[in-house]
Amino acid sequence: MTAVNDLDCINLTKRFDETLAVDDVSFSVPRGSFFSILGPSGCGKTTIMRMIAGFLDPTSGDIQIKGKSVLDTVPNKRPVNMVFQHLALFPMMNIADNIGYGLRRQGLDKKLIDAKVADALERVGLPGIGNRRVEQLSGGQKQRVAIARCMVLEPDVLLLDEPLGALDLKLREHMKVELKSLQAAFDTTFVYITHDQSEALVMSDQVAVMNAGRFEQLDTAANLYYAPQTPFVAGFVGDSNRWKGRVESVSGDQVKLVTETGVSIIGTARGTVQSGATVEAFVRPEAIRVAHSVNGIGEHANSFVGNVENVLFNGANSRVLLRVEGGGTIDVALPQSGEFNGLQRGDALAIGWGASQSLCFGAN
Amino acid sequence: MGAHGKLGFILLASPLVLWLSLLIIIPHIDLFILSLQEKIGVRQYQTSFANYMTFFSEPLYLRTFLRTAFMSIVATVLTLLIAFPISYYIAKIARGRLQSILFLMCLVPFWVSELVRTFGWMILLRETGIFSNFLQWSGIVSGPVEFLYNDAAMMVGLIYTSMLFMVVPLVTTLESLDDSMIEAGYDLGGNGYNVLREIIIPHAMPGIVSGSIVVFMLSLGNYLTPIMLGGKDSLWFTEMIYSQFIVRFNWELGAAFGFLLLGLSSLIVWGALKLSGQTLEKTMG
Amino acid sequence: MIPTIKQPRAFSLIYGAYVALFFVYLALPLLVVSLFAFNDSLFPSLPWNGFTLDWFFSPEQPQRGVFYEKSILESIGTSALVAVSVAALSVGVGTCNAFLFNRYEFRLKSVLYVLMLLPLVIPGIVLGISILVFSSTVANGVEDSLNYDIEALRPGLVLVILGQFSFITTIATLVIAARLKKFDTSLEEAALNLGATRLTAVRTITLPYLRPAILGAVLVAFLMSFENFNTTLMLVGSDAPLTIEMFDRLKEGSTPVLNAVSLLLMLGSSLLALTMIAFQRKS
């Protein structure tokens, strides 16, 4: 029993004429978890979702729900429901009829439907709005109604297709938290697709980063951030300083390289990296220590002094663009502990980071 | 609005007011007044409802009136039933080039005069026509068959003439229905029938109403099709108006007939709008 | 029901066949009309007696071609004259109406708007007789009191033009208003801001924006006038437009010369429509 996942996709492939939209993707989603597929638009994530919902047939591979293949099950019989990108609430019905739509299809008794609809509205925190029309609701309320409309059917898997895309920033932040708690409250498996990394990182138990039809890495949010396995993931999840360079020497997994701009950096190899090879190095701005002078930062494998070229003030996310000796600029996060408040263009700063903070990937 | 705006307003409003008052409102009032004139001698008239009484006391008039209304409703319903799947196909199933080609093909017959279209049906349906010849050639019948001059032929013509005015509003409203609405209907367990009934038809309602109103109006006011394709018994009310005005020169009775036709059409249009909760501004403008 | 939702094969086949059948229904009358314009016979019906161009180009009876039928050629001229007048009048007034309803707020606006739509729901024949009755009332009144007969108010081309104008204006208004509604008024404000007067702003910015709609309305008005039968029938005098001329001939029994005229009509209106499509694609 415990071994059975809610959703298994096995060697899933979808080809549209000449283009391979989904290329041999396999993954499993355990019961009750929040699974996200994160990727840029056009990476194939929507295609996967539509195949699970039954609106597209895979070219090859299998989709199993609770261990049983659903390829031969038509969309209206699959135990999955979908929250559409623009929600697809029916404007010709009121809220209660929207939520009751699927229940009516099951031929339930009208009294029972009314009770279930009222209960669902209660659970999403919108009691008593059943008689309103769709266009009378705010963006966040519509969101919750769309989820309630699926959840009354108690699906094995709930699919969510970038449902927060249309909301403004503040509401989006709020709905992230709310979606996560709704998922916990309903104890249902959510499969969520998005191009917004913060949505995926905040809510998910597992995130698959997708690019060009393939999964680059399937991992926890923390691992994607701290231990990306491919240059795409390193570049896509979080911000990074990114350099191309040539490897000078290798010892163990420590790599010494010189960037195209002439800066010498010590980093950690990801995968096999050979001396003389071209590599890409990634350093996160927030992984760099900053001080007013060299004495302030302590011992680091990489340390530089430089002059402030620009201060990009953005509250907690403020950055400094530092021009270092030897050429090139480095993007450094500015700690908001008070000591850098008066930083001006031209001021001198010292920075440093350990070898483990600069990841090097062999460039192909 | 300032003095400048006021002048502009008057300049823009006067054509509208002249048009509506001189060509629409006053002529209809005049028509109504004329319909109340009873001829009592040479160029001598008195005001009475005599013309309307004539209408109600003569069974032929009343029967033709009701028949025209009934047949127009039948034509409207049939046109809707035939046009809906076609419009759905154009709006939701055909894609890209095929979609625009099919839509254009629906428009083509209406670039030519109604007279030409009716003429085409006459060539097809009459005793020496294509259908009759085809049936004889294929051996299904042994002698010529007359398809023309009956209610069925007239219905075929009425539907043909009105088709465009049903297809265009239906395609427009159906196109505005997002595919994800239909997908959501299926995803939540619906099947073709109840997605059609609960999602597609309610969404298409404004198009259905405006298409039906126009088709009904066109059928009710049609003169050419009933006279050319219909039989001796398929009298149309417009023919009675025409004959009172042009043949018998009894304008007073003709005016009363015209007003009755106008009243009937207004009543049915108003009823359709009320029943479907639409307004004239929304469905026509 | 949409391509992403699979339907049983039989259903798709039946649906496809129905759509095909529908287009056969649409095309059939026009095809036979065109075809029989080339039949070497005195009647537009079977049997097929061979191909001929007589019904277009023969100067002699009994198969005199359309290009030698004086009454038909004249009626085409009459129709064109009427159609051009109606198109010019109705698009002019329609443009004014569109601006009026789009730019001004005034009392009775919604009442006037409904009144403006009304001609669409009045049967054409009733429009025709009401204008006929009213113009006769005026003409008789003038004749009785001033002893002067206003020829223009008796059945004839002027009344035909007015009758067609009375409902085609509504359509022209709707076509132009639909585009004006989409116009971003800040463009006009920008023109004012750059020193244009209000009238210049409308002339240089708004009217060019409306041009496709105005041209479309001209075309629709022209075609509707050319094809109109019901209203025209009640108001026509001695100069018959083409539809009336054809109707009279059809009643007497037709020769393929009517097919030839019909074919020319089809070609003409297709050409107009294609011009419009090409033009709209360009702009």
Side-chain angles (χ1 to χ4, degrees):
Chain A
M1 169 70 213
T2 47
V4 176
N5 294 310
D6 265 356
L7 174 67
D8 294 279
C9 291
I10 302 152
N11 304 118
L12 206 54
T13 299
K14 179 69 187 177
R15 186 183 283 282
F16 294 110
D17 298 328
E18 284 309 291
T19 51
L20 203 53
V22 176
D23 183 7
D24 197 26
V25 166
S26 298
F27 62 94
S28 297
V29 182
R31 229 198 86 67
S33 62
F34 199 122
F35 183 89
S36 293
I37 302 174
L38 170 66
S41 60
C43 71
K45 56 190 194 299
T46 305
T47 308
I48 292 186
M49 177 143 296
R50 291 177 67 78
M51 286 194 285
I52 300 173
F55 297 127
L56 279 176
D57 285 331
T59 309
S60 64
D62 196 11
I63 299 168
Q64 298 179 350
I65 290 170
K66 288 210 186 298
K68 268 196 255 157
S69 174
V70 292
L71 286 191
D72 294 329
T73 312
V74 290
N76 47 355
K77 301 276 184 252
R78 286 197 192 186
V80 294
N81 290 120
M82 181 154 164
V83 175
F84 285 77
Q85 188 163 16
H86 301 291
L87 305 181
L89 294 177
F90 305 132
M92 56 293 269
M93 301 174 198
N94 66 18
I95 299 305
D97 286 345
N98 258 287
I99 298 176
Y101 182 88
L103 296 171
R104 290 200 298 281
R105 300 291 81 80
Q106 296 175 354
L108 295 191
D109 181 58
K110 187 164 177 343
K111 276 216 184 75
L112 189 59
I113 293 178
D114 290 345
K116 283 194 174 218
V117 168
D119 177 56
L121 280 173
E122 191 97 34
R123 288 176 78 173
V124 296
L126 296 169
I129 65 156
N131 285 325
R132 295 218 201 138
R133 303 212 55 86
V134 173
E135 61 271 14
Q136 290 173 306
L137 301 193
S138 70
Q141 289 172 323
K142 282 184 193 165
Q143 202 77 240
R144 284 183 269 176
V145 169
I147 291 167
R149 183 172 77 173
C150 294
M151 294 317 294
V152 285
L153 300 176
E154 294 164 20
D156 291 333
V157 177
L158 183 70
L159 306 172
L160 299 102
D161 182 4
E162 307 208 32
L164 303 188
L167 302 183
D168 61 48
L169 188 67
K170 265 255 160 62
L171 191 54
R172 200 152 65 211
E173 292 301 316
H174 175 73
M175 282 308 294
K176 274 184 213 166
V177 182
E178 187 149 322
L179 265 179
K180 181 70 187 160
S181 57
L182 278 175
Q183 190 255 338
F186 283 112
D187 191 28
T188 299
T189 306
F190 277 32
V191 176
Y192 188 96
I193 69 172
T194 181
H195 65 271
D196 180 306
Q197 47 172 301
S198 125
E199 288 174 20
L201 298 185
V202 168
M203 296 188 282
S204 318
D205 300 312
Q206 291 264 298
V207 181
V209 178
M210 194 171 181
N211 182 36
R214 293 179 147 271
F215 279 1
E216 294 268 338
Q217 185 173 351
L218 197 169
D219 221 323
T220 63
N223 280 345
L224 289 175
Y225 181 79
Y226 293 121
Q229 276 160 13
T230 68
F232 179 82
V233 176
F236 192 75
V237 178
D239 285 334
S240 285
N241 287 289
R242 186 173 189 162
W243 293 288
K244 262 210 169 81
R246 174 174 289 277
V247 177
E248 296 269 283
S249 64
V250 183
S251 77
D253 64 351
Q254 283 235 330
V255 178
K256 187 166 184 235
L257 67 128
V258 177
T259 69
E260 283 170 339
T261 49
V263 185
S264 189
I265 289 174
I266 302 195
T268 307
R270 286 271 162 195
T272 42
V273 169
Q274 262 153 25
S275 186
T278 313
V279 291
E280 271 193 290
F282 294 83
V283 180
R284 297 198 186 282
E286 59 271 29
I288 301 175
R289 276 183 195 282
V290 203
H292 283 293
S293 67
V294 183
N295 302 338
I297 55 166
E299 272 307 302
H300 288 291
N302 300 287
S303 65
F304 298 93
V305 290
N307 295 95
V308 174
E309 184 154 299
N310 226 330
V311 181
L312 309 166
F313 184 78
N314 182 18
N317 299 318
S318 298
R319 299 277 185 80
V320 154
L321 210 56
L322 202 67
R323 181 161 293 280
V324 295
E325 290 165 359
T329 55
I330 300 181
D331 208 352
V332 182
L334 209 54
Q336 291 298 326
S337 46
E339 49 191 312
F340 299 105
N341 285 8
L343 207 61
Q344 293 288 323
R345 194 185 172 128
D347 288 354
L349 282 182
I351 56 171
W353 68 88
S356 61
Q357 304 298 331
S358 36
L359 301 175
C360 301
F361 296 90
N364 355 331
Chain B
M1 100 186 63
H4 190 68
K6 196 123 201 160
L7 180 69
F9 175 74
I10 291 169
L11 281 177
L12 283 177
S14 38
L16 175 83
V17 171
L18 283 177
W19 161 48
L20 288 177
S21 56
L22 290 182
L23 291 176
I24 308 294
I25 300 167
I26 301 177
H28 281 90
I29 295 173
D30 197 33
L31 185 71
F32 183 61
I33 294 172
L34 183 70
S35 75
L36 296 178
Q37 303 290 309
E38 185 189 3
K39 198 169 188 169
I40 50 170
V42 180
R43 299 204 84 182
Q44 277 197 318
Y45 296 93
Q46 70 176 28
T47 304
S48 78
F49 283 101
N51 295 314
Y52 292 93
M53 300 308 264
T54 312
F55 168 80
F56 284 107
S57 57
E58 173 62 68
L60 175 69
Y61 297 156
L62 193 60
R63 206 170 55 230
T64 307
F65 186 73
L66 294 176
R67 218 183 89 86
T68 306
F70 175 73
M71 296 291 268
S72 298
I73 292 172
V74 172
T76 307
V77 172
L78 287 176
T79 310
L80 176 62
L81 290 180
I82 294 172
F84 196 89
I86 300 298
S87 312
Y88 189 84
Y89 195 91
I90 294 175
K92 288 277 134 202
I93 295 181
R95 287 281 177 270
R97 266 187 101 73
L98 180 67
Q99 184 175 36
S100 24
I101 289 173
L102 289 184
F103 191 60
L104 210 63
M105 273 166 63
C106 282
L107 301 185
V108 169
F110 303 90
W111 292 338
V112 300
S113 156
E114 188 188 350
L115 200 93
V116 175
R117 290 175 248 153
T118 313
F119 183 37
W121 281 111
M122 291 172 73
I123 296 177
L124 284 168
L125 296 177
R126 66 176 153 212
E127 210 172 351
T128 54
I130 309 292
F131 287 169
S132 170
N133 270 289
F134 176 78
L135 288 182
Q136 291 175 66
W137 170 82
S138 63
I140 296 174
V141 294
S142 52
V145 189
E146 179 68 276
F147 291 101
L148 211 54
Y149 311 124
N150 57 49
D151 284 353
M154 188 183 72
M155 206 45 96
V156 166
L158 283 177
I159 293 170
Y160 188 87
T161 293
S162 321
M163 194 48 77
L164 169 83
F165 302 94
M166 192 63 95
V167 169
V168 169
L170 283 181
V171 168
T172 315
T173 48
L174 285 172
E175 251 181 346
S176 69
L177 177 67
D178 199 54
D179 278 1
S180 70
M181 292 288 170
I182 299 171
E183 286 177 354
Y186 274 89
D187 185 65
L188 296 167
N191 57 29
Y193 168 70
N194 49 48
V195 166
L196 181 71
R197 204 183 49 132
E198 290 202 30
I199 297 169
I200 298 172
I201 291 181
H203 178 88
M205 212 50 189
I208 293 176
V209 173
S210 66
S212 299
I213 287 178
V214 173
V215 169
F216 175 76
M217 294 296 316
L218 288 176
S219 302
L220 196 68
N222 201 319
Y223 175 80
L224 203 56
T225 305
I227 215 172
M228 302 307 269
L229 304 181
K232 290 262 180 297
D233 313 321
S234 19
L235 261 180
W236 211 248
F237 200 63
T238 47
E239 293 177 55
M240 307 219 130
I241 298 177
Y242 180 82
S243 76
Q244 292 303 333
F245 263 87
I246 308 294
V247 184
R248 308 214 179 144
F249 220 70
N250 186 350
W251 282 24
E252 295 75 28
L253 187 57
F257 284 2
F259 234 81
L260 286 164
L261 189 70
L262 186 63
L264 174 69
S265 70
S266 316
L267 188 76
I268 292 189
V269 169
W270 179 82
L273 289 174
K274 277 282 158 289
L275 272 179
S276 59
Q278 307 284 329
T279 64
L280 193 65
E281 295 95 303
K282 255 195 352 210
T283 48
M284 299 289 161
Chain C
M1 305 273 284
I2 45 175
T4 52
I5 292 162
K6 278 177 295 177
Q7 294 292 340
R9 207 170 150 63
F11 177 83
S12 310
L13 279 177
I14 292 171
Y15 199 175
Y18 174 76
V19 173
L21 201 67
F22 174 81
F23 282 102
V24 170
Y25 168 74
L26 276 194
L28 212 52
L30 303 184
L31 282 181
V32 295
V33 167
S34 314
L35 201 63
F36 282 100
F38 302 103
N39 191 9
D40 196 0
S41 150
L42 287 180
F43 306 99
S45 58
L46 291 171
W48 183 258
N49 288 345
F51 179 88
T52 178
L53 288 175
D54 279 1
W55 295 112
F56 293 90
F57 301 112
S58 160
E60 302 297 331
Q61 284 287 25
Q63 301 204 354
R64 188 157 63 193
V66 55
F67 292 117
Y68 294 90
E69 283 278 3
K70 198 154 164 284
S71 63
I72 287 183
L73 293 180
E74 272 173 8
S75 70
I76 291 178
T78 308
S79 279
L81 175 73
V82 169
V84 168
S85 319
V86 169
L89 274 173
S90 58
V91 171
V93 175
T95 310
C96 290
N97 293 348
F99 271 97
L100 183 73
F101 285 114
N102 184 263
R103 296 295 168 82
Y104 291 92
E105 291 302 324
F106 47 94
R107 270 189 309 155
L108 299 180
K109 180 174 174 173
S110 53
V111 177
L112 270 183
Y113 192 74
V114 172
L115 277 178
M116 191 274 292
L117 293 175
L118 229 45
L120 284 188
V121 290
I122 299 174
I125 211 159
V126 176
L127 266 181
I129 58 170
S130 70
I131 290 173
L132 177 67
V133 165
F134 179 55
S135 61
S136 312
T137 309
V138 174
N140 289 343
V142 171
E143 198 179 2
D144 287 347
S145 52
L146 301 177
N147 219 353
Y148 173 74
D149 188 28
I150 307 175
E151 190 64 37
L153 290 179
R154 303 296 181 188
L157 290 189
V158 173
L159 285 194
V160 169
I161 291 170
L162 286 178
Q164 295 181 355
F165 162 79
S166 72
F167 72 95
I168 292 176
T169 303
T170 301
I171 291 154
T173 305
L174 291 179
V175 171
I176 296 165
R179 186 156 170 96
L180 190 57
K181 220 180 271 173
K182 292 192 202 123
F183 179 73
D184 177 6
T185 43
S186 67
L187 293 180
E188 233 175 67
E189 285 163 4
L192 293 177
N193 185 264
L194 294 169
T197 62
R198 193 159 270 286
L199 215 58
T200 315
V202 169
R203 190 172 52 80
T204 54
I205 308 293
T206 321
L207 286 182
Y209 172 84
L210 285 181
R211 201 167 62 178
I214 291 179
L215 276 170
V218 166
L219 224 88
V220 168
F222 184 89
L223 279 179
M224 289 194 81
S225 162
F226 212 93
E227 289 182 15
N228 183 267
F229 181 78
N230 286 355
T231 310
T232 309
L233 181 70
M234 304 309 298
L235 297 170
V236 73
S238 49
D239 299 325
L242 184 61
T243 44
I244 305 292
E245 168 74 20
M246 286 174 74
F247 176 65
D248 289 339
R249 283 178 175 243
L250 204 54
K251 274 194 302 194
E252 292 160 9
S254 48
T255 66
V257 76
L258 284 187
N259 297 66
V261 183
S262 304
L263 182 59
L264 291 178
L265 270 183
M266 282 184 231
L267 290 177
S269 29
S270 309
L271 209 65
L272 273 181
L274 286 179
T275 324
M276 179 167 78
I277 290 170
F279 184 84
Q280 279 178 341
R281 201 159 279 169
K282 212 178 71 191
S283 58

